[in-house]
Amino acid sequence: MAKHLALHVGHGKTGSSYLQAWLALNAERLAAAGVVYPLEAPSGRCERRAQRGLFSMGNGFVLEEIEAAADPPAALAALAAHVPDGGTLLISDERLMKRLMGRQEALAELAAAAGFEGLQLLLLVRDPLEHARSLYLEMVKAHGYAGSFGDWLAITNLHDYVLLFLQEQAALYGGVPSQLTVHNYSRIRAAILPALRQWLDLPAASTDWPLPPRQRVNRSFSRTELGLQRRLNRVLGRGAGGFGRLLVRLRPQAEAARPGASPAEVERFRARLAPVVWGINQHVAAGQELQG
């Protein structure tokens, strides 16, 4: 029976850290169900943070090492040897969408050379204004951004990358065996685990598997923290990011801020994104279309 390579490719700020914590926590149960979620790369590098419910970027580093190997097909085939017939090798990394730009066909060819039958891709998107707000809080928290939310709305272009990825996928679909599933996190926020289980075709018993610790994974800033961090960022830039990460670890249950912008700033943002939103909605699951 054919083996499959499944990639959860993102997008950022769509519950990836929670999903990766659940996958890591249940790696042995997944393997017993035919889904191999490797937590160790050929070099010996391991992912242990997600198993403790902490912020993680997933296991994309495993695929990175394989692609950088002297013989990538052989390296991937060695990992495929741990996947049962009819089973799935799963990689989850929210940065994969951007990293796959211009490389989707090459990765499909690598998968085929290693004995996999095509690619299965999962992409989670999010309503633009909600997504921009969440990413803005992340940029202030960890990346030294000191501007206002209105300033951020004028420059953010995350959804442009999503549309480019989807257009590339559509152009390749006829010649590259792949399956793409796109869900809108804004519509299924409370059901992202069921969506993941369905995508992986996990048994019904997986609904009873352990959940990550109850604290939120990689939460956003509260209103007070946001103001304080922006002031620090003006002075220290990205160097203030360590303070931001410490705050969210010390106060995991603090309520996230909802930064606002003027009606004119929001309207300009929505008008700029309208064509992009329309394009993305041609690929999103029925009933989950993005709202500008």
Coordinates of all heavy atoms in Angstrom, one line a residue, residues 15 33 51 61 64 87 106 111 130 141 143 160 181-182 189-190 218 222 241 243 251 284:
G15 N -3.2 28.8 15.3 CA -3.3 27.6 16.3 C -2.2 26.6 16.1 O -2.3 25.5 16.6
A33 N -1.3 4.5 15.1 CA -2.4 4.6 14.2 C -1.9 4.8 12.8 O -2.7 5.1 11.9 CB -3.3 5.8 14.6
Q51 N 6.1 18.9 23.6 CA 5.5 17.8 24.5 C 5.2 18.3 25.9 O 4.4 17.7 26.6 CB 6.6 16.7 24.6 CG 6.7 15.9 23.3 CD 7.7 14.8 23.5 OE1 8.9 15.0 23.9 NE2 7.3 13.5 23.2
F61 N 12.2 21.1 11.2 CA 13.7 20.9 11.2 C 14.1 19.6 10.6 O 15.1 19.4 10.1 CB 14.3 21.2 12.5 CG 13.9 20.2 13.6 CD1 14.7 19.1 13.8 CD2 12.7 20.4 14.4 CE1 14.3 18.2 14.8 CE2 12.3 19.5 15.3 CZ 13.1 18.4 15.6
E64 N 14.0 19.9 7.0 CA 15.2 20.8 6.6 C 16.5 20.0 6.5 O 17.2 20.1 5.5 CB 15.3 21.9 7.6 CG 14.3 23.0 7.5 CD 14.6 24.1 8.6 OE1 15.8 24.3 8.9 OE2 13.6 24.7 9.1
G87 N 0.5 4.1 5.6 CA 0.7 5.1 6.6 C 1.1 6.5 6.1 O 1.3 6.7 4.9
A106 N 9.5 20.4 -6.8 CA 10.8 19.7 -6.4 C 10.5 18.8 -5.2 O 11.1 17.7 -5.1 CB 11.9 20.7 -6.1
A111 N 9.6 13.4 -2.7 CA 8.8 12.5 -2.0 C 8.6 11.2 -2.8 O 8.6 10.1 -2.3 CB 7.4 13.1 -1.7
E130 N -8.5 40.1 11.7 CA -8.3 39.4 12.9 C -6.8 38.9 12.9 O -6.1 38.9 13.9 CB -9.2 38.2 13.0 CG -9.1 37.3 14.1 CD -10.0 36.1 14.1 OE1 -11.3 36.4 14.0 OE2 -9.6 35.0 14.1
K141 N 5.5 41.8 20.5 CA 6.0 41.0 21.6 C 7.4 40.5 21.4 O 8.3 40.5 22.3 CB 5.1 39.8 21.8 CG 5.5 38.8 22.8 CD 4.5 37.6 23.0 CE 4.5 36.7 21.8 NZ 3.5 35.6 22.0
H143 N 9.5 40.9 18.1 CA 10.3 41.3 17.0 C 10.6 42.8 17.0 O 11.0 43.3 15.9 CB 9.6 40.9 15.7 CG 9.4 39.4 15.5 ND1 10.4 38.5 15.1 CD2 8.3 38.6 15.8 CE1 9.9 37.3 15.1 NE2 8.7 37.3 15.6
D160 N -1.0 38.2 0.9 CA -0.4 38.2 -0.4 C 0.4 36.9 -0.6 O 0.3 36.2 -1.7 CB 0.5 39.3 -0.7 CG -0.2 40.7 -0.7 OD1 -1.4 40.7 -0.6 OD2 0.5 41.7 -0.7
T181 N -5.8 20.9 1.4 CA -7.0 21.2 2.2 C -6.7 22.6 2.9 O -5.7 22.8 3.5 CB -7.2 20.2 3.3 OG1 -7.4 18.9 2.7 CG2 -8.4 20.5 4.2
V182 N -7.7 23.5 2.7 CA -7.6 24.8 3.3 C -8.8 25.1 4.2 O -9.9 25.0 3.8 CB -7.5 25.9 2.2 CG1 -7.3 27.3 2.8 CG2 -6.5 25.6 1.1
R189 N -12.1 27.8 14.9 CA -11.2 28.0 16.0 C -11.4 26.9 17.1 O -10.4 26.4 17.6 CB -11.3 29.4 16.6 CG -10.4 29.7 17.7 CD -10.8 31.0 18.4 NE -11.0 32.1 17.6 CZ -10.1 33.0 17.3 NH1 -9.0 33.0 17.8 NH2 -10.4 34.0 16.5
A190 N -12.6 26.6 17.4 CA -12.9 25.7 18.5 C -12.8 24.2 18.0 O -13.0 23.3 18.8 CB -14.2 25.9 19.1
N218 N 1.8 30.2 23.5 CA 2.2 31.3 22.7 C 1.1 32.4 22.7 O 0.7 32.9 21.6 CB 2.6 30.9 21.3 CG 3.3 32.1 20.6 OD1 4.0 32.9 21.2 ND2 3.2 32.1 19.3
S222 N -1.4 41.3 26.7 CA -2.5 42.1 27.2 C -2.3 43.5 26.8 O -1.3 43.9 26.3 CB -2.6 41.9 28.7 OG -1.5 42.6 29.3
G241 N 12.8 41.7 22.8 CA 11.9 40.5 22.6 C 12.0 39.5 23.8 O 11.0 38.9 24.1
F243 N 12.2 40.1 26.9 CA 11.3 40.5 28.0 C 9.9 40.1 27.6 O 9.1 39.7 28.5 CB 11.4 42.0 28.2 CG 10.5 42.6 29.2 CD1 10.8 42.4 30.6 CD2 9.4 43.3 28.9 CE1 10.0 42.9 31.5 CE2 8.5 43.8 29.8 CZ 8.8 43.6 31.2
R251 N 2.7 34.9 32.9 CA 1.3 35.2 33.0 C 0.5 34.5 31.8 O -0.1 35.2 31.0 CB 1.0 36.7 33.0 CG 1.8 37.5 34.0 CD 1.7 39.0 33.9 NE 0.3 39.4 34.2 CZ -0.5 40.1 33.4 NH1 -0.1 40.3 32.2 NH2 -1.7 40.4 33.8
V284 N -10.7 28.0 -0.3 CA -11.1 27.7 1.1 C -12.3 26.7 1.1 O -13.1 26.8 0.2 CB -11.4 29.0 1.8 CG1 -11.9 28.7 3.3 CG2 -10.2 29.9 1.9

